[in-house]
Amino acid sequence: DVLMTQTPVSLPVSLGGQVSISCRSSQSLVHSDGNTYLHWYLQKPGQSPQLLIYRVSNRFSGVPDRFSGSGSGTDFTLKISRVEPEDLGVYYCLQSTHFPLTFGSGTKLEIK
Amino acid sequence: EVQLQQSGPEVGRPGSSVKISCKASGYTFTDYVMNWVKQSPGQGLEWIGWIDPEYGSTDYAEKFKKKATLTADTSSNTAYIQLSSLTSEDTATYFCARCRRGDFDYWGQGVMVTVSS
């Protein structure tokens, strides 16, 4: 199985600040079709996960441009700028290039 | 508006089975694969498997092959997951999630399954 290593585990932030979350995979996430199936989710307390970024760098409908994704191969980053209270929760990466699909272990964004 | 409405919380005795549902609306049910994801209390997310409602074909993570059975009823636009031989390890919240092009774009609200005697 592809191991997805997310860091940090916990990320204290000041409102209005900027943060980055890293997700590294144990093997390349480039699919044979040329796409890279690495996605980012936010799970707010008591809610279902919600899609933020799909295929590395594409913002899902309604997601503010404060969120951006980048990376390639095995190394990916989610950046959040001008952090707002609604951004707090646990962030997960998901790879769907390889079977079985695997999630990162999560990064909890909390107020400093 | 795409919606995935899951059934209510379940309590199952050890060794028994439970079946939870996920009713889809707002899109053509057979056009998208449905995934299921497990979240144990205070833990992260685990992919269980997926079903293609059009063909009924399924695939499971190895860990869940003997635990979960995925089905779909195209007449009611509803996907199901049955969990068998329940143990305390199955106590968790179970989500259904629509798969678009490898990403899960819409999720159900989750169903809490509690295994207790």
Side-chain angles (χ1 to χ4, degrees):
Chain A
D1 297 3
V2 176
L3 179 63
M4 303 296 288
T5 303
Q6 255 185 265
T7 55
V9 172
S10 176
L11 190 49
V13 63
S14 299
L15 294 177
Q18 177 174 299
V19 295
S20 293
I21 300 170
S22 170
C23 182
R24 289 191 169 140
S25 57
S26 59
Q27 55 185 280
S28 173
L29 299 185
V30 180
H31 193 274
S32 56
D33 67 6
N35 290 303
T36 300
Y37 294 97
L38 184 284
H39 323 289
W40 290 96
Y41 295 84
L42 164 61
Q43 187 175 31
K44 299 180 182 180
Q47 295 187 18
S48 308
Q50 57 189 81
L51 178 63
L52 297 173
I53 302 287
Y54 61 95
R55 278 178 274 133
V56 180
S57 58
N58 299 280
R59 271 188 302 275
F60 186 54
S61 175
V63 175
D65 60 7
R66 301 183 293 99
F67 292 87
S68 63
S70 62
S72 62
T74 62
D75 200 348
F76 304 92
T77 302
L78 175 70
K79 287 186 181 175
I80 313 167
S81 59
R82 305 184 304 279
V83 171
E84 298 186 4
E86 66 196 41
D87 302 336
L88 303 182
V90 181
Y91 289 80
Y92 294 96
C93 57
L94 164 68
Q95 72 81 19
S96 56
T97 295
H98 301 286
F99 180 88
L101 281 62
T102 46
F103 289 90
S105 52
T107 296
K108 186 173 184 179
L109 190 67
E110 49 196 8
I111 295 295
K112 189 183 291 184
Chain B
E1 178 193 5
V2 174
Q3 288 191 341
L4 300 177
Q5 182 64 40
Q6 295 188 242
S7 48
E10 296 274 356
V11 178
R13 300 239 185 257
S16 70
S17 298
V18 295
K19 188 173 185 178
I20 57 182
S21 65
C22 171
K23 183 172 177 57
S25 61
Y27 72 97
T28 302
F29 182 56
T30 50
D31 282 353
Y32 295 83
V33 167
M34 190 71 77
N35 288 263
W36 290 87
V37 175
K38 176 183 180 181
Q39 186 168 40
S40 299
Q43 302 300 308
L45 304 169
E46 276 186 283
W47 180 72
I48 296 172
W50 65 36
I51 182 166
D52 182 338
E54 182 172 12
Y55 301 106
S57 53
T58 56
D59 225 338
Y60 300 87
E62 190 65 36
K63 175 181 177 180
F64 293 100
K65 280 186 176 177
K66 293 183 178 180
K67 172 60 62 179
T69 302
L70 305 182
T71 56
D73 178 355
T74 56
S75 67
S76 62
N77 293 341
T78 304
Y80 299 91
I81 180 171
Q82 179 166 317
L83 303 167
S84 60
S85 304
L86 293 173
T87 72
S88 59
E89 296 292 306
D90 300 317
T91 292
T93 297
Y94 293 83
F95 297 98
C96 59
R98 188 182 84 161
C99 186
R100 191 176 50 161
R101 274 194 63 196
D103 61 76
F104 302 168
D105 58 351
Y106 290 93
W107 295 62
Q109 80 275 22
V111 174
M112 180 69 200
V113 174
T114 304
V115 181
S116 173
S117 54

